[in-house]
Amino acid sequence: MNIPARDRLIVALDLPEAAAARTLVQRIGAAAGFYKIGMELCMAPGFFELLEWLRGQGKQVFVDLKFFDIPETVGRAVRALSERGAQFCTVHGNQAIMQAAAQAKTHGLKVLAVTALTSLDRGDLDDLGFQCDVEALVLSRARRALQAGCDGVVSSGLEVAKLRAEAPRELIVVTPGIRPVDNRAESDQKRVMTPSRALQAGADYLVVGRPIRDAADPCAAAEAIQAEIASAVRSEE
Ligand code: C5P
């Protein structure tokens, strides 16, 4: 997939207020062009104004609300969101739900299916009643997402290589749980990976939240990841 290297970094704006999100975007400046807004910001006033503001700043927007409801309701939500100018949204759930989302999208909105949250490990899947292992679950959900007409999946870096081996190249793979250095012990993300390793494994986009948001200098943190992305992408060419 021919994605400009600098578009591959998606910064997660996990913040309590739209004003704080704007401040972070301004601090990051030209170091990132793609932002993810999700549940936390959606609970604050000004969510859609923030989306519009981001678009006005020339940024791409990933609306990560992980839609999960009856197919009719999910379809209607995706149709309404399509008008707002976002590039990506997420959907959860079974075939009928993913299909409803895929059929409803317009205006170039791309629907990504959540495979398994990167915060889940084997023990958590047992807890949810899934008997299969994480990798098998991710692969089966990715296959089903494609059949349903979704554009891509959200998947941890650890399953990307397997996904790439199995799924057609046009499947967009977005990978969260990225850590510039391997500091798994301090994180609730159990399946983490560095930017270069995730890209080498075949991820198209990387979602990075706390390592940028919580950095003393978010712009420098984002630029460091961009430099790592640029060199990983170059070495693949
Ligand atoms: O702070 P951190 O880099 O861990 O942020 C990861 C972001 O990616 C969060 O906004 C989280 O909602 C999101 N995400 C995830 N795993 C998924 C889907 C989305 O961690 N499977």
Side-chain angles (χ1 to χ4, degrees):
M1 209 171 302
N2 201 6
I3 307 161
R6 287 183 77 84
D7 287 357
R8 290 174 179 262
L9 170 64
I10 304 179
V11 179
L13 294 173
D14 292 324
L15 288 156
E17 284 165 13
R22 282 191 181 86
T23 304
L24 181 58
V25 172
Q26 277 159 341
R27 286 185 75 191
I28 295 171
F34 211 146
Y35 286 92
K36 181 171 93 70
I37 54 176
M39 277 196 275
E40 186 180 0
L41 275 172
C42 192
M43 296 304 120
F47 182 79
F48 288 107
E49 288 78 2
L50 175 66
L51 197 170
E52 258 170 51
W53 178 82
L54 284 165
R55 296 296 293 137
Q57 303 283 308
K59 309 296 185 190
Q60 300 188 75
V61 184
F62 172 6
V63 175
D64 184 21
L65 292 174
K66 301 184 179 71
F67 297 128
F68 179 67
D69 208 312
I70 59 168
E72 165 75 9
T73 303
V74 167
R76 292 172 71 90
V78 169
R79 189 165 301 116
L81 180 64
S82 294
E83 312 269 328
R84 304 278 190 168
Q87 275 62 44
F88 291 166
C89 72
T90 36
V91 65
H92 213 261
N94 68 358
Q95 203 67 3
I97 296 171
M98 293 191 289
Q99 225 161 4
Q103 280 166 7
K105 68 190 171 92
T106 61
H107 296 76
L109 177 68
K110 295 202 176 347
V111 173
L112 309 175
V114 175
T115 54
L117 290 176
T118 37
S119 60
L120 301 182
D121 62 12
R122 181 57 271 166
D124 297 316
L125 289 185
D126 279 339
D127 200 32
L128 288 167
F130 286 106
Q131 300 309 315
C132 58
D133 65 20
V134 179
E135 192 176 277
L137 178 66
V138 168
L139 290 175
S140 116
R141 302 210 24 92
R143 253 180 248 124
R144 305 284 284 158
L146 259 179
Q147 283 163 8
C150 291
D151 300 283
V153 292
V154 181
S155 164
S156 121
L158 301 183
E159 286 86 34
V160 171
K162 262 276 163 59
L163 262 179
R164 274 287 165 241
E166 287 226 352
R169 196 64 195 90
E170 66 263 24
L171 182 86
I172 300 170
V173 179
V174 177
T175 299
I178 298 294
R179 293 295 173 266
V181 285
D182 195 349
N183 59 354
R184 195 172 320 198
E186 298 154 26
S187 173
D188 63 348
Q189 296 278 31
K190 294 173 182 158
R191 290 178 294 122
V192 295
M193 213 178 227
T194 62
S196 354
R197 285 192 53 212
L199 290 167
Q200 281 150 12
D204 295 307
Y205 295 88
L206 309 178
V207 173
V208 185
R210 287 163 286 183
I212 293 176
R213 183 197 68 188
D214 299 342
D217 183 344
C219 177
E223 272 304 353
I225 295 172
Q226 291 287 18
E228 191 174 334
I229 292 175
S231 88
V233 169
R234 252 196 319 272
S235 68
E236 305 238 315
E237 281 166 2

